[in-house]
Amino acid sequence: MYRQGDVLIVPVAEEAVPSHVADAPHEARDGRGRLVLALGEVTGHAHAVLGPGRLVREPGPFGPMLLHLPEGGRVVHEEHAAIPLPKGWYRVVRQREYLPGAVRIVAD
């Protein structure tokens, strides 16, 4: 398991990846060629992955993302140390916070 700020990255066994993910649309890379896991709304900084792979967002407002890194990669952020990730599948979950009557994604 890996954590960088408010982003949790959990390894997933290939056989546990839902079958619909193979044909699901994937997130586009940003202008710098990164797969963005979370974008800081205030600072503009991003938790992002460098390296070949694809990112599939599960449906729903709190749906996790599935990240596939066929050759491994690195999670980078302007204010955190880079985290190397071995090749494989990962579930990416954003930290949430409870507010009376609501739940929301933590904002940078």
Side-chain angles (χ1 to χ4, degrees):
M1 212 177 327
Y2 307 88
R3 177 174 290 284
Q4 189 183 67
D6 58 350
V7 175
L8 178 66
I9 303 166
V10 182
V12 175
E14 185 150 0
E15 57 272 7
V17 175
S19 60
H20 72 273
V21 170
D23 300 320
H26 54 86
E27 297 289 308
R29 291 179 179 267
D30 71 357
R32 294 165 56 184
R34 307 173 303 172
L35 292 169
V36 175
L37 306 179
L39 183 62
E41 295 83 1
V42 176
T43 63
H45 295 162
H47 298 278
V49 174
L50 303 176
R54 64 189 195 112
L55 183 64
V56 176
R57 189 176 303 273
E58 292 287 294
F62 301 118
M65 295 175 281
L66 290 168
L67 173 66
H68 182 229
L69 299 175
E71 299 174 18
R74 286 185 326 132
V75 182
V76 297
H77 185 279
E78 292 81 353
E79 297 174 337
H80 298 282
I83 300 173
L85 296 175
K87 68 180 181 177
W89 283 92
Y90 298 89
R91 183 168 302 279
V92 180
V93 182
R94 294 281 309 274
Q95 183 174 338
R96 291 171 260 186
E97 64 184 349
Y98 171 78
L99 300 170
V103 174
R104 70 179 184 117
I105 298 290
V106 172
D108 269 344

